Amino acid sequence: MKMTIKNCRLAFPAIFEAKAVNPGDTPAFSASLLVGKDHPQLAEIKKAISTVGADKWKDKAAAILKQLEAGGKTALHDGDTKASYDGFEGNLFISARNQSKPAVKDRDGKTDLTRADGRPYGGCYVNAVVEFWAQDNNYGKRVNATLLGVQFVRDGAAFAGGTTASDDDFEDLSADEADSLM
């Protein structure tokens, strides 16, 4: 079930280059999408997860979904379980990934963005297009989200690791160079 989650906060974006989480994993594009526990689309997100579960597991869906939620095996997670990461505490988050590169668009919804544009970045606000789907195979049962695209909405405070060193972070070594030439 495809939906656009509006005005969510982007965390751990791997949207320009596929990355492997663990050694030996297949690299994928991914992101965590932070939404408040009072986000206006929260009921719609939960309904989408229930709908794909009902489509997959029919009469057993309610029991299976309850078990999956308890085990953290749905795409929607409690951010308090990752409270050590910037922005997660007090929020929920959707884990979404894709083997194919997602669309990355600017505010106009048409202009493609690249890493060189400097946005989107971890901590900014985006609209994210995801597709929820139920998995039931030899890897287990889950409800996943495929990341189809993100649209930069507005700036937000960058999460840790999102900045670069400034000139003040470096000492002047030019005097050492002059001494070594003598």
Side-chain angles (χ1 to χ4, degrees):
M1 171 174 262
K2 183 176 169 182
M3 72 179 294
T4 300
I5 301 165
K6 296 185 177 183
N7 203 32
C8 55
R9 201 146 180 220
L10 187 64
F12 299 111
I15 55 177
F16 297 114
E17 179 182 335
K19 294 184 179 176
V21 176
N22 298 305
D25 286 354
T26 302
F29 298 91
S30 62
S32 291
L33 309 167
L34 298 168
V35 295
K37 292 181 179 179
D38 61 348
H39 191 278
Q41 290 182 282
L42 187 55
E44 184 182 354
I45 293 165
K46 288 179 177 182
K47 184 176 182 191
I49 290 170
S50 292
T51 299
V52 300
D55 289 347
K56 183 64 124 180
W57 298 297
K58 312 290 183 224
D59 296 340
K60 298 177 184 176
I64 291 171
L65 286 169
K66 185 176 181 180
Q67 183 181 17
L68 294 178
E69 287 171 8
K73 294 187 176 188
T74 68
L76 182 65
H77 307 277
D78 186 345
D80 291 338
T81 63
K82 303 268 187 203
S84 62
Y85 297 119
D86 285 350
F88 280 72
E89 187 173 12
N91 290 303
L92 300 172
F93 70 98
I94 298 164
S95 296
R97 40 187 294 119
N98 196 337
Q99 295 298 314
S100 300
K101 186 181 182 309
V104 182
K105 301 291 183 177
D106 206 351
R107 290 181 51 83
D108 64 7
K110 298 186 184 350
T111 305
D112 291 324
L113 293 174
T114 66
R115 183 186 312 273
D117 293 310
R119 64 187 191 284
Y121 54 89
C124 77
Y125 291 83
V126 298
N127 292 335
V129 181
V130 299
E131 185 166 15
F132 292 104
W133 58 281
Q135 166 188 316
D136 190 348
N137 57 27
N138 57 334
Y139 295 106
K141 291 179 173 74
R142 301 182 64 87
V143 175
N144 300 308
T146 299
L147 181 64
L148 302 176
V150 295
Q151 176 188 25
F152 177 79
V153 172
R154 64 184 165 91
D155 288 314
F159 291 143
T163 61
T164 59
S166 71
D167 291 346
D168 295 334
D169 293 323
F170 298 98
E171 59 184 286
D172 182 358
L173 302 175
S174 57
D176 293 343
E177 183 179 318
D179 290 343
S180 70
L181 294 175
M182 292 187 179

